[in-house]
Amino acid sequence: MKSDTYHHNDLKENLIKMGLKLFNEEGAENFSIRKVAALCNVSHAAPYRHFKNKEELINAISEYVFSNFKSSLNEVVEKYKSDPKERIIELGKKYVFFMVENPDYLKFAFLTNSGSGVIIKEDNLRSEEYFTFNIFEDCALDFFKSINVKEEDYVQDIIAMWSMVHGLATMLAYKTFSYEGDYLELVENILRKNLNF
């Protein structure tokens, strides 16, 4: 019999962390609370003190991932709020840094979900699912306005910028290419070179 020795809040957080790991390894179909309990070395009944079913645990994992990502991005937004160009560059670097340092978050947030997180409608972009994208979009719009980009170019320019940042994050996190220097310097150089609108 496994012993439930965790403090109440510690167990909940560990269930979320181990659940994230399991979800990324096995996907939604093979995900179960019993397997998460085994990873946490607690009885199969212990997780039900926190989550009534696996869907509730998966939702908690999603909230955990995106809340941490959002907090990370908001630190940059606040620090560089008076300089739109530096803010978008630092935001891009933070985006890459967060995903490279937390590849499990990257996989859960973007590589295991088949739904459309960002909707393009009538030349507008918005996301109900990826509220972190909305932070990126708002900062991009401030930058475009500061350098007088035409409004009709906003959508395609935001997609291009997001693709560049997200692509760098994914390739660096999954070692698509090898870079022996400071990868954040590389990211900053690429962003600065490509933000000359």
Coordinates of all heavy atoms in Angstrom, one line a residue, residues 12 16 31 33 47-63:
K12 N -1.4 18.3 -4.5 CA -2.1 18.8 -5.6 C -1.2 19.3 -6.7 O -1.3 19.0 -7.9 CB -3.0 20.0 -5.2 CG -3.9 20.6 -6.3 CD -4.9 21.6 -5.8 CE -5.8 22.1 -6.9 NZ -6.8 23.1 -6.4
I16 N -0.4 17.7 -10.5 CA -0.4 18.6 -11.8 C 0.9 18.4 -12.5 O 0.9 18.2 -13.7 CB -0.6 20.0 -11.4 CG1 -2.1 20.2 -10.9 CG2 -0.4 20.9 -12.6 CD1 -2.4 21.6 -10.4
F31 N -4.2 8.8 -20.7 CA -4.0 9.5 -19.5 C -5.0 9.0 -18.4 O -6.2 8.8 -18.8 CB -4.2 11.0 -19.7 CG -4.0 11.8 -18.5 CD1 -2.7 12.3 -18.2 CD2 -5.0 12.2 -17.7 CE1 -2.5 13.2 -17.1 CE2 -4.8 13.0 -16.6 CZ -3.6 13.5 -16.3
I33 N -6.0 9.1 -13.9 CA -5.7 9.5 -12.6 C -4.9 8.5 -11.8 O -4.0 8.7 -11.1 CB -7.0 10.0 -11.8 CG1 -7.4 11.3 -12.4 CG2 -6.7 10.0 -10.3 CD1 -8.6 11.9 -11.6
P47 N -5.7 11.2 -5.3 CA -6.0 12.4 -6.2 C -7.4 12.9 -6.2 O -7.6 14.0 -6.5 CB -5.6 11.8 -7.6 CG -4.6 10.7 -7.3 CD -5.1 10.1 -6.1
Y48 N -8.3 12.0 -5.8 CA -9.7 12.4 -5.9 C -10.1 13.4 -4.8 O -11.2 13.9 -4.8 CB -10.6 11.1 -5.8 CG -10.5 10.3 -7.1 CD1 -9.7 9.2 -7.2 CD2 -11.3 10.7 -8.3 CE1 -9.6 8.5 -8.4 CE2 -11.2 10.0 -9.5 CZ -10.3 8.9 -9.5 OH -10.2 8.2 -10.7
R49 N -9.2 13.6 -3.9 CA -9.4 14.7 -2.9 C -9.3 16.0 -3.5 O -9.7 17.1 -3.0 CB -8.4 14.6 -1.7 CG -8.5 13.3 -0.9 CD -7.4 13.2 0.1 NE -7.2 11.8 0.5 CZ -6.1 11.3 1.0 NH1 -5.0 12.1 1.1 NH2 -6.0 10.1 1.4
H50 N -8.6 16.1 -4.7 CA -8.4 17.3 -5.4 C -9.1 17.4 -6.7 O -9.4 18.5 -7.1 CB -6.8 17.5 -5.6 CG -6.0 17.4 -4.4 ND1 -5.9 18.5 -3.5 CD2 -5.3 16.4 -3.8 CE1 -5.1 18.2 -2.5 NE2 -4.8 16.9 -2.6
F51 N -9.2 16.3 -7.4 CA -9.8 16.3 -8.8 C -10.9 15.2 -8.9 O -10.6 14.1 -8.6 CB -8.7 16.1 -9.8 CG -7.6 17.1 -9.7 CD1 -6.4 16.6 -9.1 CD2 -7.7 18.4 -10.0 CE1 -5.3 17.5 -9.0 CE2 -6.6 19.3 -9.9 CZ -5.4 18.8 -9.3
K52 N -12.1 15.6 -9.3 CA -13.2 14.6 -9.4 C -13.0 13.6 -10.5 O -13.5 12.5 -10.5 CB -14.5 15.3 -9.4 CG -14.8 16.1 -10.6 CD -16.2 16.8 -10.5 CE -16.4 17.7 -11.7 NZ -17.7 18.4 -11.6
N53 N -12.3 14.0 -11.6 CA -12.1 13.1 -12.7 C -10.8 13.6 -13.5 O -10.2 14.6 -13.2 CB -13.3 13.0 -13.6 CG -13.8 14.4 -14.0 OD1 -13.0 15.3 -14.4 ND2 -15.1 14.6 -14.0
K54 N -10.5 12.8 -14.5 CA -9.3 13.1 -15.3 C -9.4 14.5 -16.0 O -8.4 15.2 -16.2 CB -8.8 12.0 -16.2 CG -9.6 11.9 -17.5 CD -8.9 10.8 -18.4 CE -9.4 10.8 -19.8 NZ -8.7 9.9 -20.7
E55 N -10.6 14.8 -16.5 CA -10.8 16.0 -17.2 C -10.5 17.2 -16.3 O -9.9 18.2 -16.8 CB -12.3 16.1 -17.7 CG -12.6 15.2 -18.9 CD -12.7 13.7 -18.5 OE1 -13.0 13.4 -17.3 OE2 -12.6 12.8 -19.4
E56 N -10.9 17.1 -15.1 CA -10.6 18.2 -14.1 C -9.1 18.4 -13.9 O -8.6 19.5 -13.8 CB -11.4 18.0 -12.8 CG -11.4 19.2 -11.9 CD -12.3 19.0 -10.8 OE1 -13.6 19.2 -10.9 OE2 -11.8 18.8 -9.6
L57 N -8.4 17.3 -13.8 CA -7.0 17.3 -13.7 C -6.3 17.9 -14.9 O -5.4 18.7 -14.8 CB -6.4 15.9 -13.4 CG -4.9 15.8 -13.3 CD1 -4.3 16.8 -12.3 CD2 -4.5 14.4 -12.8
I58 N -6.8 17.5 -16.1 CA -6.2 18.0 -17.3 C -6.4 19.5 -17.4 O -5.6 20.3 -17.8 CB -6.8 17.3 -18.6 CG1 -6.3 15.9 -18.6 CG2 -6.4 18.0 -19.9 CD1 -6.9 15.0 -19.6
N59 N -7.6 20.0 -17.0 CA -7.9 21.4 -17.0 C -7.0 22.2 -16.0 O -6.5 23.3 -16.3 CB -9.4 21.7 -16.6 CG -10.3 21.3 -17.7 OD1 -9.9 21.3 -18.9 ND2 -11.6 21.0 -17.4
A60 N -6.7 21.5 -14.9 CA -5.8 22.1 -13.9 C -4.4 22.2 -14.5 O -3.6 23.2 -14.2 CB -5.8 21.3 -12.6
I61 N -4.0 21.2 -15.2 CA -2.6 21.2 -15.9 C -2.6 22.4 -16.9 O -1.6 23.1 -16.9 CB -2.4 19.9 -16.6 CG1 -2.2 18.7 -15.6 CG2 -1.1 20.0 -17.4 CD1 -2.3 17.3 -16.2
S62 N -3.6 22.5 -17.7 CA -3.7 23.6 -18.6 C -3.6 25.0 -18.0 O -2.8 25.9 -18.4 CB -4.9 23.5 -19.5 OG -5.0 24.5 -20.4
E63 N -4.3 25.1 -16.9 CA -4.3 26.4 -16.1 C -2.9 26.7 -15.6 O -2.4 27.8 -15.6 CB -5.4 26.3 -15.0 CG -5.3 27.5 -14.0 CD -5.6 28.8 -14.7 OE1 -6.3 28.9 -15.7 OE2 -5.2 29.8 -14.1

